[in-house]
mmCIF file of all heavy atoms in Angstrom:
data_model
loop_
_atom_site.group_PDB
_atom_site.id
_atom_site.type_symbol
_atom_site.label_atom_id
_atom_site.label_comp_id
_atom_site.label_asym_id
_atom_site.label_seq_id
_atom_site.Cartn_x
_atom_site.Cartn_y
_atom_site.Cartn_z
ATOM 1 N N HIS A 143 -5.440 -4.107 -4.572
ATOM 2 C CA HIS A 143 -4.096 -3.613 -4.262
ATOM 3 C C HIS A 143 -4.122 -2.086 -4.256
ATOM 4 O O HIS A 143 -5.022 -1.463 -4.813
ATOM 5 C CB HIS A 143 -3.071 -4.086 -5.296
ATOM 6 C CG HIS A 143 -2.914 -5.561 -5.385
ATOM 7 N ND1 HIS A 143 -2.240 -6.302 -4.434
ATOM 8 C CD2 HIS A 143 -3.350 -6.454 -6.318
ATOM 9 C CE1 HIS A 143 -2.260 -7.579 -4.771
ATOM 10 N NE2 HIS A 143 -2.925 -7.703 -5.911
ATOM 11 N N PHE A 144 -3.107 -1.506 -3.640
ATOM 12 C CA PHE A 144 -2.914 -0.055 -3.697
ATOM 13 C C PHE A 144 -1.690 0.255 -4.544
ATOM 14 O O PHE A 144 -0.820 -0.605 -4.765
ATOM 15 C CB PHE A 144 -2.743 0.549 -2.290
ATOM 16 C CG PHE A 144 -1.502 0.080 -1.571
ATOM 17 C CD1 PHE A 144 -0.260 0.625 -1.859
ATOM 18 C CD2 PHE A 144 -1.576 -0.902 -0.595
ATOM 19 C CE1 PHE A 144 0.887 0.204 -1.206
ATOM 20 C CE2 PHE A 144 -0.428 -1.337 0.067
ATOM 21 C CZ PHE A 144 0.803 -0.780 -0.244
ATOM 22 N N LEU A 145 -1.612 1.499 -5.004
ATOM 23 C CA LEU A 145 -0.432 1.987 -5.698
ATOM 24 C C LEU A 145 -0.201 3.431 -5.267
ATOM 25 O O LEU A 145 -1.009 4.313 -5.581
ATOM 26 C CB LEU A 145 -0.608 1.903 -7.216
ATOM 27 C CG LEU A 145 0.570 2.372 -8.073
ATOM 28 C CD1 LEU A 145 1.837 1.602 -7.728
ATOM 29 C CD2 LEU A 145 0.243 2.234 -9.557
ATOM 30 N N LEU A 146 0.869 3.666 -4.516
ATOM 31 C CA LEU A 146 1.196 5.004 -4.027
ATOM 32 C C LEU A 146 2.221 5.623 -4.969
ATOM 33 O O LEU A 146 3.356 5.143 -5.089
ATOM 34 C CB LEU A 146 1.765 4.930 -2.609
ATOM 35 C CG LEU A 146 0.906 4.199 -1.563
ATOM 36 C CD1 LEU A 146 1.605 4.198 -0.207
ATOM 37 C CD2 LEU A 146 -0.484 4.823 -1.464
ATOM 38 N N LEU A 147 1.808 6.688 -5.649
ATOM 39 C CA LEU A 147 2.667 7.370 -6.613
ATOM 40 C C LEU A 147 3.165 8.675 -5.999
ATOM 41 O O LEU A 147 2.400 9.624 -5.819
ATOM 42 C CB LEU A 147 1.892 7.658 -7.897
ATOM 43 C CG LEU A 147 1.257 6.450 -8.602
ATOM 44 C CD1 LEU A 147 0.306 6.914 -9.690
ATOM 45 C CD2 LEU A 147 2.336 5.548 -9.182
ATOM 46 N N SER A 148 4.429 8.710 -5.626
ATOM 47 C CA SER A 148 5.073 9.932 -5.126
ATOM 48 C C SER A 148 4.270 10.607 -4.016
ATOM 49 O O SER A 148 3.785 11.739 -4.175
ATOM 50 C CB SER A 148 5.287 10.924 -6.279
ATOM 51 O OG SER A 148 5.976 10.316 -7.333
ATOM 52 N N PRO A 149 4.112 9.938 -2.869
ATOM 53 C CA PRO A 149 3.367 10.557 -1.764
ATOM 54 C C PRO A 149 3.948 11.916 -1.393
ATOM 55 O O PRO A 149 5.139 12.186 -1.584
ATOM 56 C CB PRO A 149 3.549 9.548 -0.619
ATOM 57 C CG PRO A 149 3.860 8.253 -1.294
ATOM 58 C CD PRO A 149 4.637 8.615 -2.523
ATOM 59 N N ALA A 150 3.094 12.775 -0.843
ATOM 60 C CA ALA A 150 3.502 14.143 -0.513
ATOM 61 C C ALA A 150 3.969 14.235 0.930
ATOM 62 O O ALA A 150 3.244 13.851 1.850
ATOM 63 C CB ALA A 150 2.332 15.100 -0.742
ATOM 64 N N ASN A 151 5.167 14.740 1.123
ATOM 65 C CA ASN A 151 5.685 15.006 2.459
ATOM 66 C C ASN A 151 5.150 16.377 2.881
ATOM 67 O O ASN A 151 5.718 17.416 2.550
ATOM 68 C CB ASN A 151 7.217 14.994 2.445
ATOM 69 C CG ASN A 151 7.817 15.212 3.814
ATOM 70 O OD1 ASN A 151 7.122 15.557 4.764
ATOM 71 N ND2 ASN A 151 9.123 15.013 3.909
ATOM 72 N N ILE A 152 4.034 16.375 3.592
ATOM 73 C CA ILE A 152 3.350 17.626 3.916
ATOM 74 C C ILE A 152 4.239 18.558 4.741
ATOM 75 O O ILE A 152 4.239 19.783 4.534
ATOM 76 C CB ILE A 152 2.017 17.322 4.632
ATOM 77 C CG1 ILE A 152 1.019 16.766 3.617
ATOM 78 C CG2 ILE A 152 1.459 18.571 5.310
ATOM 79 C CD1 ILE A 152 -0.338 16.459 4.171
ATOM 80 N N GLU A 153 4.991 18.018 5.662
ATOM 81 C CA GLU A 153 5.858 18.867 6.482
ATOM 82 C C GLU A 153 6.874 19.596 5.619
ATOM 83 O O GLU A 153 7.156 20.792 5.830
ATOM 84 C CB GLU A 153 6.547 18.021 7.551
ATOM 85 C CG GLU A 153 5.568 17.473 8.595
ATOM 86 C CD GLU A 153 6.126 16.267 9.310
ATOM 87 O OE1 GLU A 153 7.178 15.742 8.871
ATOM 88 O OE2 GLU A 153 5.507 15.837 10.289
ATOM 89 N N TYR A 154 7.433 18.903 4.645
ATOM 90 C CA TYR A 154 8.393 19.545 3.754
ATOM 91 C C TYR A 154 7.719 20.584 2.866
ATOM 92 O O TYR A 154 8.249 21.674 2.651
ATOM 93 C CB TYR A 154 9.092 18.492 2.893
ATOM 94 C CG TYR A 154 10.153 19.053 1.987
ATOM 95 C CD1 TYR A 154 11.373 19.486 2.506
ATOM 96 C CD2 TYR A 154 9.941 19.165 0.618
ATOM 97 C CE1 TYR A 154 12.350 20.016 1.671
ATOM 98 C CE2 TYR A 154 10.914 19.694 -0.220
ATOM 99 C CZ TYR A 154 12.121 20.115 0.320
ATOM 100 O OH TYR A 154 13.075 20.647 -0.508
ATOM 101 N N MET A 155 6.523 20.262 2.374
ATOM 102 C CA MET A 155 5.795 21.206 1.534
ATOM 103 C C MET A 155 5.466 22.487 2.290
ATOM 104 O O MET A 155 5.439 23.574 1.718
ATOM 105 C CB MET A 155 4.502 20.566 1.012
ATOM 106 C CG MET A 155 4.715 19.470 -0.011
ATOM 107 S SD MET A 155 3.156 18.713 -0.535
ATOM 108 C CE MET A 155 2.406 20.067 -1.453
ATOM 109 N N MET A 156 5.229 22.366 3.605
ATOM 110 C CA MET A 156 4.846 23.527 4.408
ATOM 111 C C MET A 156 6.037 24.202 5.075
ATOM 112 O O MET A 156 5.856 25.086 5.910
ATOM 113 C CB MET A 156 3.845 23.115 5.491
ATOM 114 C CG MET A 156 2.494 22.688 4.973
ATOM 115 S SD MET A 156 1.272 22.716 6.302
ATOM 116 C CE MET A 156 2.146 21.792 7.564
ATOM 117 N N SER A 157 7.234 23.807 4.698
ATOM 118 C CA SER A 157 8.416 24.332 5.392
ATOM 119 C C SER A 157 8.553 25.845 5.271
ATOM 120 O O SER A 157 9.202 26.491 6.103
ATOM 121 C CB SER A 157 9.679 23.645 4.871
ATOM 122 O OG SER A 157 9.831 23.863 3.470
ATOM 123 N N GLY A 158 7.937 26.431 4.241
ATOM 124 C CA GLY A 158 8.016 27.874 4.077
ATOM 125 C C GLY A 158 6.910 28.647 4.770
ATOM 126 O O GLY A 158 6.915 29.890 4.758
#
Side-chain angles (χ1 to χ4, degrees):
H143 299 285
F144 64 79
L145 181 57
L146 306 180
L147 303 169
S148 307
N151 182 350
I152 287 182
E153 293 159 350
Y154 183 73
M155 290 178 69
M156 292 197 310
S157 59

